[in-house]
Every structure is written in structure tokens, then in C-alpha cells.
Amino acid sequence: MLDKPYKNKYGSYEQIFFKTQTAQREHKSRSRLSLHPTKTPFSVVERKTFQNLLTDFSRIAMLHQVLRDLESLPHPALVIEADYGDFLNPEKLEHSYKSSYCYRLLAELQAMHPKLPIIFART
């Protein structure tokens, strides 16, 4: 997370950078990243792959508990490593769930956890 000043107005905004495990393996950097302690709190992110979230749909009460715990932390986010449309595509779902069921559960997650940003980030 990085606090950056606005270019054209007073104030600042937070930039949060994510890197998936696949991107980390494929990235060939010549430099090494060194994190130094700061007083700025870091974001806490719960990452879910497409298949991981489908599995969690079968244990929806447990998923809600995990998200409630996540919401209690400073700067939380749920990052889903898939497109929103993947959960509505019968071919991607491979008959595990109906797309209407997935749509209802995604809406439920957003309605029951309004303070938790849910980010669909395929890449």
C-alpha cells in the first residue's frame, strides 16, 4: 500500500498493489524488494481463486464467518482471482453449480459484507 498525493487537488489516496503467485514466478526482476517497517497499516487481503470460491460456496456459513473476521481488520479486501462473469458462465462452472445460484451467493456476499471491498481480479 502506498499513500500518494493527488496531482490536481489537495489530499492523498491509497494505492494497493497485488501480485499473484503466478505473476511472482514469472516476474524476473533484477532488483530485490526490501520492506522497511512503517507506521502505515497494511491492507489485509483474503485471496480466493475461482475454484476455491466455488468450494467455499458449499460452506457458505463458514465463508461468512471468515469475511466477518476479515471486516474487523483495518483496510480489508476480498480479492477473487477470476472475472465476475466466470461465475455466471455454465461452461466455466462445469455443472458444479447453476449460474443463478452463484449470482445469488455473490450478491449475498456483497449485501452481508457492505464494508468489505470485493475485487474481481483475473490478472
Side-chain angles (χ1 to χ4, degrees):
M1 183 172 66
L2 180 65
D3 195 40
K4 295 204 55 164
Y6 288 112
K7 290 181 182 179
N8 300 326
K9 64 180 180 179
Y10 176 77
S12 63
Y13 62 97
E14 292 178 350
Q15 282 187 327
I16 301 174
F17 300 91
F18 299 98
K19 192 179 268 192
T20 64
Q21 289 176 344
T22 303
Q24 181 67 31
R25 282 193 302 270
E26 292 174 357
H27 181 72
K28 294 181 170 77
S29 176
R30 293 182 184 172
S31 64
R32 296 284 179 223
L33 177 65
S34 177
L35 295 176
H36 301 285
T38 65
K39 295 184 190 239
T40 305
F42 286 97
S43 295
V44 178
V45 176
E46 176 75 21
R47 287 178 43 213
K48 297 285 184 188
T49 64
F50 176 73
Q51 195 59 48
N52 185 234
L53 189 56
L54 285 179
T55 301
D56 285 350
F57 282 172
S58 66
R59 302 182 300 257
I60 194 67
M62 193 179 327
L63 177 60
H64 281 301
Q65 181 59 48
V66 168
L67 296 181
R68 276 192 296 276
D69 292 344
L70 181 63
E71 275 183 305
S72 69
L73 301 170
H75 311 290
L78 172 62
V79 176
I80 301 167
E81 296 176 1
D83 287 328
Y84 185 86
D86 292 347
F87 294 93
L88 306 176
N89 185 341
E91 292 176 13
K92 293 237 180 188
L93 294 172
E94 297 176 350
H95 307 293
S96 57
Y97 292 107
K98 290 186 176 189
S99 57
S100 59
Y101 180 72
C102 291
Y103 177 76
R104 186 185 68 76
L105 286 179
L106 291 173
E108 179 180 308
L109 291 177
Q110 291 177 331
M112 292 186 69
H113 306 281
K115 295 180 181 177
L116 179 67
I118 299 176
I119 302 162
F120 291 88
R122 180 176 52 121
T123 58

